[in-house]
Amino acid sequence: MVDEIYMNRCLELANLGSGNVSPNPMVGCVIVAGEQIIGEGYHRQYGQAHAEPNAVKAVFDRFGIDADSLLKKATAYVNLEPCAHFGKTPPCADLFVKHQLKKVVIGNTDPFSGVDGKGIEKLKNAGIEVITGVLKAECEYFNRRFFTRIKKQRPYIILKWAETANGYFGTTNGTQKWISGPLAKRLSHKWRTEEDAILVGKNTAMIDNPTLTARNWTGKNPTRLVIDKNLEIPTTHNMFNREAKTIIFNEVKTDVSENIHYIQMEDMHFYLPQKIAFQLYLMDIQSVIIEGGVSILNQFLDANLWDEARIFQSESNWSSGMKAPKINGFLTEAVQIGIDKLNLYANK
């Protein structure tokens, strides 16, 4: 179980980069010599050093002139295959070859065509022992956003809404009425720091006038995505403030005004979820939370274009209102969040 223990540590380290490395994967690296961890690292920020050079640097920082000899006897653990190509940083596989590591243990091979086995091939050709597939399923689930983007050419899509105990989503008279409690709201803001973007439709933007930021949690704001076919939302609304980048999908114009980006689409009443998903893929947006309204959520559900759903259910009952979407997925977990119940679903 030793390999599994160190691979779990890789995932713990990799998670520290959550929200900061997209569209790259989250990667952690642990270097072990003589049953002792001699260096650790993770990918901290997109465009900066990957996990492997950070871990190697940690070895040199700690052991100085003895680092070279230690690395020659060491095993490196990494949850994703070391890259083999020049991107924003040099190939990580070359770094392990340079320092003549004894062995490299890998969770997942990299599905990106620029790597996909090429890093492993470099290591083996240099005489380094390579073991793959350690905690493979766990490592792939951990980087499910990255794997979805590469394999399906679309972002990882999370549906999120709140509903009453008897299945109502909102009012029918166009007024705002809160359903979930304060803890649910705070958790929702935490989620926003973990994903690249958040999407709402015109009606939600008009009625709720949301800010769509992570103001109740420490972390980055997601890119705000709004569907506004005819550009009817007043520019005085919160989504036009400068707190985050905002992208407005519409049929009128393509333009940029400071942090507001307008993207024109044709025939938005046809295949809208598919068009948005592909556009986000082209923009390197790796994950998106869709928060409403009902029409937008149902369109993505009907297109079967979603990966997980997070549904808060309150204890309250309404006598009337707009019915919540019906989810057709696999219930993975149900937990109590303050006064609300949170049901988590995965797409079958």
Side-chain angles (χ1 to χ4, degrees):
M1 297 295 292
V2 172
D3 286 350
E4 287 80 2
I5 290 170
Y6 289 128
M7 192 60 67
N8 270 317
R9 178 58 181 162
C10 287
L11 295 179
E12 289 177 354
L13 290 166
N15 194 53
L16 296 175
S18 175
N20 296 313
V21 301
S22 177
N24 283 350
M26 295 179 287
V27 182
C29 179
V30 176
I31 301 177
V32 179
E35 299 182 358
Q36 177 189 5
I37 293 176
I38 60 173
E40 295 183 331
Y42 66 95
H43 187 26
R44 296 172 178 267
Q45 186 77 40
Y46 176 70
Q48 296 182 9
H50 289 182
E52 297 92 332
N54 284 334
V56 170
K57 181 179 182 298
V59 177
F60 278 92
D61 288 346
R62 182 178 178 187
F63 295 98
I65 60 174
D66 295 325
D68 265 324
S69 59
L70 282 170
L71 287 169
K72 287 180 173 63
K73 299 182 290 184
T75 296
Y77 292 83
V78 61
N79 58 291
L80 190 70
E81 176 183 1
C83 60
H85 66 297
F86 281 90
K88 290 185 178 293
T89 58
C92 295
D94 289 359
L95 182 67
F96 285 163
V97 171
K98 173 186 175 182
H99 291 291
Q100 301 174 32
L101 270 72
K102 182 179 180 182
K103 183 164 71 171
V104 176
V105 180
I106 297 167
N108 290 136
T109 56
D110 193 324
F112 178 60
S113 59
V115 185
D116 199 9
K118 296 181 180 67
I120 292 170
E121 184 180 5
K122 276 191 174 185
L123 297 173
K124 288 183 175 180
N125 288 343
I128 297 173
E129 181 185 355
V130 179
I131 295 176
T132 61
V134 175
L135 296 185
K136 179 181 178 182
E138 291 87 342
C139 290
E140 184 166 349
Y141 180 76
F142 176 77
N143 266 318
R144 57 196 180 279
R145 295 160 180 81
F146 174 73
F147 276 82
T148 297
R149 177 178 172 273
I150 298 299
K151 291 183 174 182
K152 298 185 178 182
Q153 296 189 330
R154 66 164 176 82
Y156 189 83
I157 298 172
I158 301 166
L159 308 181
K160 179 257 173 183
W161 71 83
E163 63 183 45
T164 65
N166 57 341
Y168 287 112
F169 177 93
T171 64
T172 55
N173 60 6
T175 60
Q176 186 184 48
K177 188 176 180 180
W178 287 105
I179 295 176
S180 55
L183 280 182
K185 182 177 182 180
R186 192 155 187 256
L187 178 58
S188 297
H189 285 212
K190 176 181 181 293
W191 290 338
R192 292 177 182 181
T193 68
E194 298 168 348
E195 311 303 337
D196 287 353
I198 182 168
L199 171 70
V200 297
K202 181 197 73 176
N203 289 339
T204 298
M206 295 278 273
I207 295 169
D208 294 347
N209 191 17
T211 305
L212 301 179
T213 60
R215 57 198 178 277
N216 289 324
W217 196 267
T218 301
K220 69 171 184 61
N221 290 322
T223 296
R224 301 178 290 202
L225 310 173
V226 184
I227 301 169
D228 187 8
K229 179 180 176 180
N230 299 313
L231 297 182
E232 299 174 65
I233 302 170
T235 56
T236 53
H237 271 42
N238 290 329
M239 54 173 259
F240 287 96
N241 66 30
R242 297 187 179 184
E243 294 180 26
K245 179 180 178 179
T246 299
I247 297 172
I248 303 174
F249 298 110
N250 68 94
E251 287 189 355
V252 179
K253 65 178 180 178
T254 293
D255 192 17
V256 177
S257 177
E258 296 182 335
N259 63 313
I260 311 299
H261 295 238
Y262 298 89
I263 295 181
Q264 185 177 15
M265 290 182 169
E266 294 183 354
D267 300 323
M268 291 179 69
H269 51 291
F270 291 121
Y271 303 108
L272 182 60
Q274 292 88 339
K275 290 176 180 177
I276 289 175
F278 187 61
Q279 181 64 49
L280 297 181
Y281 167 75
L282 295 176
M283 298 168 65
D284 279 342
I285 289 178
Q286 190 162 255
S287 62
V288 58
I289 300 176
I290 300 176
E291 287 206 357
V294 169
S295 175
I296 299 300
L297 288 164
N298 278 327
Q299 286 184 62
F300 277 85
L301 285 166
D302 291 343
N304 197 32
L305 202 54
W306 63 283
D307 297 288
E308 62 178 91
R310 303 170 181 178
I311 305 171
F312 289 108
Q313 187 179 64
S314 74
E315 295 179 337
S316 63
N317 287 281
W318 291 2
S319 58
S320 64
M322 187 184 302
K323 278 293 187 179
K326 295 294 184 184
I327 194 75
N328 180 23
F330 178 70
L331 181 66
T332 59
E333 191 175 2
V335 294
Q336 195 71 27
I337 306 295
I339 59 175
D340 303 301
K341 181 180 179 183
L342 172 62
N343 293 316
L344 303 175
Y345 291 87
N347 193 337
K348 293 181 180 179

